[in-house]
């Protein structure tokens, strides 16, 4: 059993979740645009039918971004939000496009973080894709994340390229 003071999840909507591990706060794929906002590309126009469950979001330390080039995983408000966090882990190509605080991880690369209480949290990039097999040339680079927490109650979470908790 996981002590709920060490681990907490808040669902925001779509692929966006706030994950708190021993005080360290993560957000997955920030899609924070309001209901009714739209995005158009060469092929289609997408309209958001439901806004985020929360609009007032306390400090987030790290964003885990599966990919930056689809509006359903990083929208306009999400892009602005990235400027407020200390680190954004994403694909290598995504980090080059985003700049600033973005850190590109290729599959199986890791970074080790520590919470203020000294709990070790390891972020491991994993291969992932956005859509069915064979679509990679159309969708571009996508990455998943394995979050490994050490300590008295060790556990792992795997976040896929479409960032659903497994």
């Amino acid at each position: 059993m996981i002590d709920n003071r060490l681990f907490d999840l808040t669902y925001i909507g779509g692929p966006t979740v706030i994950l708190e591990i021993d005080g360290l706060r993560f957000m997955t794929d920030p899609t924070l645009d309001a209901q009714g906002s739209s995005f158009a590309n060469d092929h289609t126009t997408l309209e958001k039918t439901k806004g985020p469950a929360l609009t007032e979001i306390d400090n987030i330390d790290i964003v885990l971004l599966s990919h930056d080039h689809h509006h359903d995983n990083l929208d306009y408000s999400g892009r602005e939000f990235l400027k407020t966090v200390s680190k954004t882990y994403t694909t290598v190509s995504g980090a080059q496009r985003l700049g600033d605080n973005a850190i590109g991880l290729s599959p199986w690369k890791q970074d080790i973080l520590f919470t203020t209480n000294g709990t070790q949290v390891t972020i491991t990039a994993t291969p992932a894709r956005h859509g069915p097999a064979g679509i990679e040339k159309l969708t571009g680079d996508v990455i998943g994340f394995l979050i490994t927490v050490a300590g008295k109650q060790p556990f792992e979470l795997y976040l896929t390229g479409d960032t659903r908790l497994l």
Side-chain angles (χ1 to χ4, degrees):
M1 183 169 171
I2 296 172
D3 182 342
N4 65 3
R5 290 169 297 181
L6 180 68
F7 173 86
D8 191 34
L9 286 174
T10 304
Y11 180 65
I12 305 299
T16 309
V17 172
I18 295 173
L19 166 64
E20 186 170 342
I21 300 171
D22 197 23
L24 189 62
R25 291 172 50 90
F26 297 83
M27 179 183 281
T28 62
D29 292 356
T31 55
L32 304 173
D33 284 351
Q35 178 179 344
S37 62
S38 62
F39 171 78
N41 63 25
D42 294 340
H43 309 289
T44 188
T45 298
L46 301 175
E47 183 175 331
K48 193 162 185 181
T49 59
K50 190 171 185 178
L54 292 176
T55 55
E56 302 277 331
I57 297 173
D58 292 333
N59 184 53
I60 298 294
D61 302 299
I62 295 163
V63 167
L64 302 173
L65 179 60
S66 63
H67 58 297
D68 68 302
H69 42 283
H70 290 145
H71 202 70
D72 62 335
N73 292 87
L74 181 63
D75 58 19
Y76 297 121
S77 298
R79 284 182 184 277
E80 286 300 310
F81 185 79
L82 292 183
K83 297 174 185 176
T84 70
V85 301
S86 61
K87 293 181 181 180
T88 298
Y89 291 100
T90 190
T91 63
V92 172
S93 60
Q96 292 169 347
R97 284 187 292 274
L98 294 170
D100 296 328
N101 65 358
I103 299 167
L105 294 177
S106 55
W108 309 119
K109 296 297 181 184
Q110 296 181 327
D111 199 6
I112 296 174
L113 310 169
F114 291 90
T115 69
T116 55
N117 295 324
T119 300
Q120 181 177 312
V121 179
T122 303
I123 310 295
T124 304
T126 65
R129 69 172 182 253
H130 186 60
I135 200 158
E136 295 84 2
K137 286 186 179 183
L138 295 174
T139 61
D141 294 338
V142 179
I143 200 156
F145 300 95
L146 177 64
I147 312 300
T148 305
V149 180
K152 291 180 183 178
Q153 296 179 313
F155 63 93
E156 292 184 331
L157 290 171
Y158 176 61
L159 306 170
T160 70
D162 223 356
T163 315
R164 293 183 182 94
L165 290 172
L166 297 178

